[in-house]
Amino acid sequence: MPLPFNARRIAVVAPHPDDEILGCGGTMARAAAAGAEVHVVVVTRGQPPLFEEELVGWIRAETLRAHDIIGVADTQFLDFPAAGLDQIRRSDLNQALSSALSRIEPDLLLIPFIGDIHLDHQIVFNAALVYARPRGSGGPGCVLAYETLSETNWLAPGVTPAFIPNMFVDISETLERKVAAFQAFQSQVKPQPDERSVEAIRALATLRGATAYRYAAEAFVLVRQIY
Amino acid sequence: MPLPFNARRIAVVAPHPDDEILGCGGTMARAAAAGAEVHVVVVTRGQPPLFEEELVGWIRAETLRAHDIIGVADTQFLDFPAAGLDQIRRSDLNQALSSALSRIEPDLLLIPFIGDIHLDHQIVFNAALVYARPRGSGGPGCVLAYETLSETNWLAPGVTPAFIPNMFVDISETLERKVAAFQAFQSQVKPQPDERSVEAIRALATLRGATAYRYAAEAFVLVRQIY
Amino acid sequence: MPLPFNARRIAVVAPHPDDEILGCGGTMARAAAAGAEVHVVVVTRGQPPLFEEELVGWIRAETLRAHDIIGVADTQFLDFPAAGLDQIRRSDLNQALSSALSRIEPDLLLIPFIGDIHLDHQIVFNAALVYARPRGSGGPGCVLAYETLSETNWLAPGVTPAFIPNMFVDISETLERKVAAFQAFQSQVKPQPDERSVEAIRALATLRGATAYRYAAEAFVLVRQIY
Amino acid sequence: MPLPFNARRIAVVAPHPDDEILGCGGTMARAAAAGAEVHVVVVTRGQPPLFEEELVGWIRAETLRAHDIIGVADTQFLDFPAAGLDQIRRSDLNQALSSALSRIEPDLLLIPFIGDIHLDHQIVFNAALVYARPRGSGGPGCVLAYETLSETNWLAPGVTPAFIPNMFVDISETLERKVAAFQAFQSQVKPQPDERSVEAIRALATLRGATAYRYAAEAFVLVRQIY
Amino acid sequence: MPLPFNARRIAVVAPHPDDEILGCGGTMARAAAAGAEVHVVVVTRGQPPLFEEELVGWIRAETLRAHDIIGVADTQFLDFPAAGLDQIRRSDLNQALSSALSRIEPDLLLIPFIGDIHLDHQIVFNAALVYARPRGSGGPGCVLAYETLSETNWLAPGVTPAFIPNMFVDISETLERKVAAFQAFQSQVKPQPDERSVEAIRALATLRGATAYRYAAEAFVLVRQIY
Amino acid sequence: MPLPFNARRIAVVAPHPDDEILGCGGTMARAAAAGAEVHVVVVTRGQPPLFEEELVGWIRAETLRAHDIIGVADTQFLDFPAAGLDQIRRSDLNQALSSALSRIEPDLLLIPFIGDIHLDHQIVFNAALVYARPRGSGGPGCVLAYETLSETNWLAPGVTPAFIPNMFVDISETLERKVAAFQAFQSQVKPQPDERSVEAIRALATLRGATAYRYAAEAFVLVRQIY
């Protein structure tokens, strides 16, 4: 199996743990299996009083277990306050995220979508693109935005930016690993018909796959690709 | 189960047989079960040399069987040439379609999507809206565009009009009838991972459902609704 | 006169008092007359030094008078600072608004438009949609964005989100009540040719009506409807 | 009163007679009063069997009367079949329209909108822009698309191109002349609440005006302006 | 120099000769130099009376000379009438184009943009995408739309589809070959400030390059990419 | 040379010094040469620790030198923190900017584009439009957004607002002055292939010019124009 995107170093930016699995867990697993170095940067951490300390500890452990299943090489936690990025000086966030990504030097960068309902996602999208500006010959040659069930369909697509994918990655061989990684987040898995159910994850993979004549796929919006 | 949309008379316009099942078979079945009169207008008919006469005969029979499964009250066939609407004088098409729809006097009108790759779909979308102009106090109070697997995702969504649904109809209780109706079109059902596979139909229903916290749904783009 | 939208419990979110009247006063009045329970949540309150205390008191009284004319069942004031929502922790706003709306349990939710020039409107749009996420079988089955004269046309429609209505509610019988309710805000009514003039309100109602072959209408952008 | 747009030679392209009055009758009247030479090119002519010969004759006379009221300097009739432009070889239409416009050498070109429901409007929009290509230093410095009541709001704005105006022309002093010119088309004036009623025309003028703090205005979408 | 896109077989569809050079001459030259097989399908041929027979003969020769400069492996001429695709039965065009492309079996397909002012370009865009439907595991893994000076900027971008590129191909080393190939079309090269001037071609390359931190680039809109 | 736009008083809002030169230096120079009064409002000032005090001093001097080259009549510095507008109470910014612009009373207002990657640009776009609301008969008759190399192409055009120009100003005679003014910012000029290189500036001018059949042009998105 060849490396998807020919990418050797991949960085995935997750506003909150599990976004990266929902959005591109199968792609990460496929890339890792093919020899790419897959890095994740988790931007926020739940903090009291919005989130209980104990729960946050569990989620951290679940995250690492999920990343282990996927084959993530390294995970950085930036520990900004979850559901609180609007309170952060944007230049501080930009600097912290750019610094984390510079350590990775990815040739493929995967980020959440600006049309997601969670303000943290919108802010992270912008911050990640500040890092990705082609202001030198380095920098990621490809930037893709991923879709996140329970976020991407619930703002006002069509009024706010709609996720209209143009890039499809075959995950037929890694869908099960994606599902397993998501299930590592025990507190986050919901029963059908929730968008965060295993059934919804499988349905999305089947649908995105069918559009590209594949058994399962993850779909992305291309932000910029340079050859 | 209340009537969806409170509609008592529903007209579905299908460029080709089976579009109406893929697009809104579950909604039709639900409405029919709830007492609404569901009508279908099939705009085209395959014609030699593009289509073999025998195949066309079969498809006609399959269509009626599918409509029987759904509970369609009446089906009109306009018999314009399939894959040939671009050759038809548009005023003739408008007139024929308006005439057929006027006989129905629907309060809910379901039409294909203008962003579909098939030119017949694009043309039918326009022709149906000519009928639906609010030039009097009658006319359909609600016009919805449906999505058609193997058509809607394959033009260039985002460059050409993208199907971004804002209307969701719960079809949890009629999904099986939709699948059965589609399977009546023996020549049209494809094995996975084709978009015209039963698996893709189920996946789409599950995904559209999950977005609305339902087990299964059909999704639509609202063109116009008047209360 | 049947209930518009079949809605029995309606919640209207107003960033500032009078937005709800400009946006959907006629619809509220029609729904109330038909037996629906109409609730309003006013998100902000003018505060010194931006607004004089005395003026704010008057506006509060005018608001209640206007709501009385319309037939509003109940009005909640959240008292966040007007023209200051950008200074509020977003999670606080989300929580307060969700809490207010949860008390109402609306089946129809009416919100301002994200493309309005006032940042408060943009923020309220997002906050209201956080509440409306279909994360359970409850929640509003229909979410509509309304247009506000002096707000919706003055950002940069087409560059920023444009208000392109697809839902029209006949207010022929309640337009006068809408005008009367707006005139209750003595300090807010401007002479023609201001967008906040009675003439502009009537012109908008006539135009939106004509598009739907009605004498007067209010128009909305559908965010999401679930049947 | 200065010349609007500084234009000295104005060409208005009308798919059918009265489109130009609905779309920009007030602007034409203002420009003519200020000394500009206003030309109209009427692209189609009703033809049997779609249109009765006698009616067509009347409309021709009404057109000239309307143009007289407005102060139109010259009217060219291209006599392509109304509701039949889809049957015309596009290169023939392009050539005929370019030839007519070349005789005028306008510095301001006003055309119908591509999102109008009438296919003739869509086709004329494209044909007029072929003429307007900046392939030399001549050509119109400004191209604007106008809105036509009963056409522009009735396709599927938002799915198909939406008329989102950014150019407003004060017609406070010429609105009455516009209304009078429209009333010259006796067969085309409809009673309220039709979009082709005088009330709808006035409401649109008041609304477009209010958006620009004027008593009455016509609104346009700028296609291209060169200084 | 690695193969751009890893593509080994590339098909470029040109409505008229020289579109393919303006749109992606540098990319073709780079790919050819790197060992890819580059094919061109020219859809139309000028025909009397719109075009003089002699001129058409010259252009055919110029085309082959240009393709020789670029390193095109093979050129197919479909000989549909230039500026006359609207007169062609669409199913005939689809069939002819699909047949030509099937002989090539490209993994990368380059097509004109649907927002170009020339109707031939719009029609070819649609026809090429009919071929590219992912209805099997073969088919092009990547479909890109190219921009054509004198076509892409002159419809009504923003009202009609705008060319907003997201894919950039470095042509620093092949820009000169592109310019030379374009100059092979002696009748088509115009002096500055025409969009078809060498200066405009260089400016576009420099600008698209700068956006991607390259000395020269061609830019594309991604229609669909499958990995 | 006539006054472009007939504007006699022009205000240009620059989030940071040099944005105004990149975006509309040539237009300002042409207007100034033709007798218009050109004013610039620079919204931010670099502040420690993000920016070194000494560098900021230099840039202030460079700004004034650049404005001198262009022929700017007057420059106001609002001194909000650069890269820190998200930390400013929006009502304070609105008030300060409105106050500065009210002193100018421009009939033409030039502002940065909301789709620029720098959050300061996005915020300034909104703040400037608050000032420009047509809430009286004064106010700027024309509002244009300009493009800024190194900002406008680097968010996610097409997902975020894309700069699709419809207004072109011939700067053939003032391009050299624009380049000279930009070179006054010694610290900001970068070598090719950076977007902030002189080569990129010239390429953009040539391309925008060619689209309008001019040797050089600056392009704008029209926000609103009132005649």
Side-chain angles (χ1 to χ4, degrees), chain D residues 80-130:
Chain D
F80 284 98
L85 287 186
D86 60 299
Q87 294 298 306
I88 299 301
R89 193 182 291 269
R90 198 65 75 83
S91 57
D92 288 351
L93 175 64
N94 289 350
Q95 202 164 39
L97 187 53
S98 286
S99 167
L101 290 169
S102 294
R103 275 196 292 277
I104 301 169
E105 282 191 36
D107 37 26
L108 170 62
L109 177 63
L110 293 152
I111 64 177
F113 186 62
I114 196 176
D116 289 0
I117 193 171
H118 204 306
L119 192 54
D120 286 354
H121 286 229
Q122 301 170 27
I123 290 172
V124 166
F125 177 92
N126 274 278
L129 289 185
V130 168

Side-chain angles (χ1 to χ4, degrees), chain D residues 23 45 183 192:
Chain D
R45 171 199 184 91
Q183 286 174 322
Q192 208 185 356

Side-chain angles (χ1 to χ4, degrees), chain E:
Chain E
M1 189 168 62
L3 285 174
F5 316 101
N6 302 316
R8 303 195 166 277
R9 303 180 67 79
I10 297 177
V12 181
V13 183
H16 319 96
D18 85 11
D19 291 329
E20 77 284 14
I21 304 299
L22 286 168
C24 52
T27 299
M28 286 194 287
R30 178 175 161 196
E37 235 179 69
V38 177
H39 297 253
V40 176
V41 179
V42 178
V43 178
T44 71
R45 172 198 183 93
Q47 294 177 4
L50 282 181
F51 301 87
E52 291 175 30
E53 195 63 72
E54 196 186 33
L55 175 65
V56 171
W58 284 344
I59 289 179
R60 173 81 28 122
E62 290 171 349
T63 304
L64 295 173
R65 210 171 315 133
H67 289 189
D68 195 53
I69 292 168
I70 293 295
V72 170
D74 183 58
T75 305
Q76 296 181 59
F77 295 94
L78 301 189
D79 287 341
F80 284 98
L85 287 186
D86 61 300
Q87 295 299 305
I88 299 301
R89 193 182 290 270
R90 199 64 75 83
S91 57
D92 288 351
L93 175 63
N94 289 350
Q95 202 164 39
L97 187 53
S98 286
S99 167
L101 290 169
S102 294
R103 275 197 290 277
I104 300 169
E105 282 191 34
D107 36 26
L108 170 63
L109 177 64
L110 294 151
I111 63 177
F113 186 62
I114 196 176
D116 290 0
I117 194 171
H118 204 306
L119 191 54
D120 286 354
H121 286 230
Q122 300 170 29
I123 290 172
V124 166
F125 177 91
N126 274 279
L129 288 185
V130 168
Y131 162 75
R133 287 173 302 167
R135 300 223 58 181
S137 51
C142 185
V143 182
L144 299 174
Y146 57 77
E147 62 184 323
T148 309
L149 284 168
S150 79
E151 299 288 355
T152 304
N153 297 324
W154 286 348
L155 191 47
V159 177
T160 54
F163 188 88
I164 307 169
N166 45 19
M167 181 81 75
F168 298 82
V169 177
D170 187 337
I171 61 162
S172 305
E173 297 183 30
T174 54
L175 173 58
E176 291 314 312
R177 207 168 305 174
K178 172 180 182 162
V179 169
F182 181 64
Q183 286 174 321
F185 294 93
Q186 290 190 9
S187 55
Q188 303 303 309
V189 182
K190 308 287 180 193
Q192 210 186 356
D194 199 287
E195 269 215 354
R196 297 178 79 89
S197 64
V198 169
E199 288 82 358
I201 293 174
R202 287 190 192 284
L204 182 61
T206 298
L207 180 70
R208 295 310 192 195
T211 295
Y213 206 82
R214 301 294 188 272
Y215 283 89
E218 281 168 347
F220 302 91
V221 169
L222 176 64
V223 173
R224 189 172 46 243
Q225 190 163 7
I226 303 169
Y227 280 99

Side-chain angles (χ1 to χ4, degrees), chain D residues 3-6 30 134-138 165-171 210-214 222-227, chain F residues 3-6 30 134-138 165-171 210-214 222-227:
Chain D
L3 285 174
F5 316 103
N6 301 317
R30 178 176 160 194
R135 300 223 59 179
S137 51
N166 45 18
M167 182 81 76
F168 299 81
V169 177
D170 187 337
I171 61 163
T211 295
Y213 206 82
R214 300 294 187 275
L222 176 64
V223 173
R224 191 173 43 242
Q225 190 163 5
I226 302 170
Y227 280 98
Chain F
L3 284 174
F5 316 101
N6 301 318
R30 178 175 160 196
R135 300 223 56 180
S137 52
N166 45 17
M167 182 82 76
F168 298 81
V169 178
D170 188 337
I171 61 163
T211 295
Y213 205 82
R214 299 294 187 275
L222 175 64
V223 173
R224 191 172 43 242
Q225 190 162 7
I226 302 170
Y227 280 99

